[in-house]
Amino acid sequence: MTFCVVGAGFSGAVIARHLAERGHKVVVVDERAHIGGNCYTERDTETGVMVHKYGPHIFHTADERTWAYVQKFGTFKPYVNRVKAISNEHVYTLPVNLLTINQFFGTTMGPKEARAFIESKADKSITNPQSFEEQALSMIGPELYRAFFYGYTRKQWGLEPTQLPASILKRLPLRFNYDDNYFNHPYQGMPEEGYTAIVQNILNVEGIDVRLGCSFESLEEDFQHVFYTGPIDRYFGFRLGRLGYRTLDFERFVDDGDHQGTAVINYCNEEVPYTRISEHKHFAPWEQDKFSKTVCFREYSRLAGENDIPYYPIRLVNEKKMLESYIELARAEKGVSFMGRLGTYRYLDMDVTIKEALAACDVIDTAMQASELSLPAFFVDPA
C-alpha cells in the first residue's frame, strides 16, 4: 500500500518509518526546505554553535518506550534545564523553589517554614481556580505572581492572565527544596548531533520518499490513507475560520565568549519587550568551550498571522468552539487521520508527540490485520 504523511516532524517521521518497515511505500511531504519541523537544529555558519532554529527544545520524558525509541536514532547527552529569571533588576532561579523564595523575600527558611510561609500568602478564598491568575494567587500569593508570572504571561500570550485557563499554570512546578531542574522527568537529555540528525535517521529507511518544499495540496497521487500533521483548519481550507495561535519572532545577535552564562534567562518585567534570551552554546555543554563566539536569540511573542509559523495554540473559548466544529468535519472525512500538535490543535512536548505516534502505530498494526483498512480520524481525542 502507499501512504502519505504530511509533515516531516517527529509525528510524521515515526509513522512513516513504521509503515516503511512493514513494506509499504510512504510519501512524506513538508512545505519547509528541511525536515524536523519546529525541532529543526543546524550549525550556525558564523559561530559553529548548534542552533535550535525555532526556539529551545529540551528532551524530557517519563515514558520508557519513548526514551528507548529516540536513543535508537542518536546519542543523547545528559542535560539539565536550569532556567534563570530577571525580575525588577534581580536574578532568580526558576522554577520557583526554596532558593527563589529565600532570594525574593530575603529569608533563610527551611522547607517546612517556607511551605507554611507560602501557604500564608496564598489566597485561600479561591477554592476552584478558573483562570491563570486565580491559579497563581491560590498557589503562591500576589508577590511571587506579580514578580515572575504576570508580566511574562501578558507578553507570551498577549492577554490578561484573567483570560487564560488555570491549566497553563498547573503544569509549572512549585518546590520547597533547592532543586532547580526545570523538569522532574527521569529521562532528560540533548541529542549530541542535534534533533535534525535524529529525525533524519528515523526517516532513513527504504520505502520513504521525502519531498521538501512540497505542499500536500499540490499532490496528485492517490493514497490508501493520509496521516496529516499540518493544521487541521488548513486541511479543510479554513472554511470555518482560522484557529488562533501565538507565533515567535527571534532577534539574533553574536557576542564574544559567554554572553549570559546560562542557556535561558526569562525577562519577567512587562516593560522589557522580549520574553527571554537563549544562548545556544549552553544547550551543548560538552562542546561549548571550543567556540570563541556565542550566538543568542531574543524571543518575542505575538499573535500569528496567515503567513506566520504557528507555535502555541490559544484554545480560548472561540477557538475551542471552532475546534469542535473542525473535529466533526474530520470524523466525517474518509481516509485521513489527524495527528500531532497542529493536527489536534494541542500544545505538545516532543516526548508526548512521539509517545502518541508510537501508540498510533499499535492501532495501525491492529487495523492492518483486518481485511479492510479502517483507521480513526484521531488516535487521541483533541477536545
Side-chain angles (χ1 to χ4, degrees):
M1 287 189 276
T2 302
F3 295 90
C4 180
V5 173
V6 182
F10 272 116
S11 287
V14 171
I15 293 292
R17 184 181 184 93
H18 187 80
L19 292 168
E21 286 181 333
R22 278 147 182 76
H24 303 290
K25 294 181 180 180
V26 187
V27 175
V28 177
V29 296
D30 200 300
E31 279 193 326
R32 298 183 190 180
H34 60 74
I35 61 172
N38 283 2
C39 298
Y40 176 72
T41 52
E42 64 181 3
R43 290 285 177 187
D44 181 67
T45 55
E46 181 178 356
T47 65
V49 172
M50 182 67 77
V51 168
H52 301 213
K53 184 174 180 180
Y54 302 99
H57 287 77
I58 295 91
F59 199 90
H60 56 97
T61 187
D63 186 67
E64 292 185 5
R65 184 186 186 188
T66 299
W67 183 237
Y69 184 85
V70 295
Q71 289 188 102
K72 291 192 298 184
F73 302 102
T75 300
F76 278 73
K77 293 278 195 177
Y79 184 82
V80 175
N81 191 30
R82 303 187 191 280
V83 177
K84 300 295 180 270
I86 293 178
S87 176
N88 298 321
E89 300 183 353
H90 288 83
V91 180
Y92 300 94
T93 183
L94 289 180
V96 174
N97 58 60
L98 190 54
L99 179 58
T100 318
I101 294 167
N102 280 326
Q103 284 178 316
F104 186 82
F105 291 104
T107 55
T108 57
M109 294 181 285
K112 294 178 182 178
E113 189 180 5
R115 186 183 294 275
F117 178 76
I118 294 300
E119 286 179 357
S120 73
K121 295 284 186 180
D123 188 338
K124 297 181 178 60
S125 69
I126 304 172
T127 57
N128 184 25
Q130 296 299 306
S131 69
F132 182 101
E133 181 165 292
E134 288 183 347
Q135 180 68 31
L137 293 174
S138 67
M139 280 178 59
I140 57 176
E143 295 95 339
L144 292 175
Y145 165 59
R146 283 282 170 176
F148 297 112
F149 298 109
Y150 178 74
Y152 187 92
T153 301
R154 289 195 70 199
K155 290 189 292 184
Q156 178 71 6
W157 291 98
L159 295 165
E160 286 294 332
T162 53
Q163 298 175 275
L164 293 167
S167 58
I168 294 177
L169 187 62
K170 285 180 180 178
R171 65 174 181 255
L172 299 179
L174 169 63
R175 300 188 183 126
F176 295 99
N177 56 30
Y178 288 104
D179 181 9
D180 63 349
N181 184 346
Y182 201 82
F183 305 113
N184 58 9
H185 287 153
Y187 308 113
Q188 302 181 42
M190 194 72 73
E192 185 175 18
E193 300 300 327
Y195 290 104
T196 304
I198 299 290
V199 177
Q200 179 64 61
N201 289 337
I202 295 173
L203 290 169
N204 187 21
V205 62
E206 186 177 350
I208 294 179
D209 174 15
V210 178
R211 303 179 191 177
L212 300 177
C214 177
S215 69
F216 171 64
E217 292 86 352
S218 68
L219 298 180
E220 296 181 353
E221 297 106 312
D222 291 325
F223 302 100
Q224 269 71 43
H225 199 82
V226 174
F227 298 91
Y228 192 87
T229 72
I232 185 172
D233 51 352
R234 174 173 168 173
Y235 179 88
F236 293 102
F238 306 105
R239 71 176 75 163
L240 305 176
R242 290 179 177 269
L243 292 167
Y245 285 92
R246 299 292 288 178
T247 193
L248 299 174
D249 295 321
F250 298 96
E251 181 184 359
R252 176 185 180 275
F253 64 95
V254 172
D255 198 359
D256 293 323
D258 190 345
H259 177 75
Q260 64 182 17
T262 192
V264 176
I265 296 182
N266 288 359
Y267 286 78
C268 302
N269 289 48
E270 199 170 358
E271 57 267 23
V272 179
Y274 44 88
T275 55
R276 60 183 180 178
I277 295 178
S278 55
E279 185 171 2
H280 288 231
K281 72 191 303 181
H282 293 296
F283 293 121
W286 58 88
E287 65 176 20
Q288 64 183 17
D289 291 340
K290 75 178 186 180
F291 302 113
S292 61
K293 289 185 176 293
T294 188
V295 60
C296 304
F297 294 85
R298 297 183 184 95
E299 195 168 304
Y300 301 81
S301 176
R302 60 178 173 82
L303 187 66
E306 292 185 10
N307 299 316
D308 291 320
I309 297 171
Y311 281 84
Y312 306 108
I314 297 175
R315 288 185 76 101
L316 294 180
V317 173
N318 289 342
E319 281 77 22
K320 284 186 177 181
K321 288 181 178 179
M322 191 185 301
L323 175 62
E324 290 171 359
S325 298
Y326 276 122
I327 290 172
E328 290 181 12
L329 288 178
R331 295 195 193 282
E333 193 81 354
K334 301 298 183 183
V336 59
S337 295
F338 296 86
M339 303 179 62
R341 177 177 56 93
L342 302 178
T344 61
Y345 193 61
R346 292 148 61 228
Y347 179 82
L348 299 176
D349 286 330
M350 287 180 289
D351 67 310
V352 178
T353 296
I354 296 169
K355 179 181 178 181
E356 291 186 358
L358 290 172
C361 291
D362 298 336
V363 176
I364 292 169
D365 283 346
T366 300
M368 290 287 188
Q369 297 171 7
S371 58
E372 183 177 339
L373 181 65
S374 178
L375 292 171
F378 300 99
F379 296 99
V380 176
D381 186 358

